[in-house]
């Protein structure tokens, strides 16, 4: 992906080309595999994520039970 392609993402469509370049310069592309944990409830947010491809399942664990609360 390139800075120009960010403009195609609705979240960034209102940004100027200069703003997109600045955002791109500060960004890192991070790839995750199936089953990897991206974040945990209650933990401090250290990053701001934008999902470019794939899906994220939000899971809730209560005791021994785990359920998907959103995808």
């Amino acid at each position: 992906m390139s800075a120009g392609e960010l403009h195609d993402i609705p979240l960034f469509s209102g940004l100027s080309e200069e703003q997109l370049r600045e955002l791109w310069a500060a960004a890192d592309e991070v790839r995750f595999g199936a089953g990897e944990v991206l974040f945990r409830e209650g933990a401090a947010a250290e990053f701001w994520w934008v999902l470019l491809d794939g899906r994220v399942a939000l899971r809730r664990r209560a005791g021994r039970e785990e359920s998907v609360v959103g995808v």
Side-chain angles (χ1 to χ4, degrees):
M1 175 167 262
S2 68
E5 291 174 296
L6 287 177
H7 201 278
D8 295 334
I9 298 173
L11 179 65
F12 305 122
S13 63
L15 298 179
S16 69
E17 292 301 318
E18 181 181 346
Q19 289 171 318
L20 289 171
R21 283 192 299 274
E22 288 178 19
L23 180 63
W24 184 254
D28 290 316
E29 185 173 344
V30 180
R31 295 177 182 262
F32 291 94
E36 288 187 66
V37 175
L38 306 182
F39 51 85
R40 294 190 185 279
E41 180 180 6
E46 297 179 14
F47 303 99
W48 188 74
W49 300 94
V50 175
L51 182 64
L52 299 175
D53 186 36
R55 65 187 197 160
V56 174
L58 301 175
R59 299 177 181 271
R60 177 182 171 92
R61 185 170 296 162
R64 295 184 193 177
E65 294 186 30
E66 183 176 291
S67 59
V68 176
V69 295
V71 178

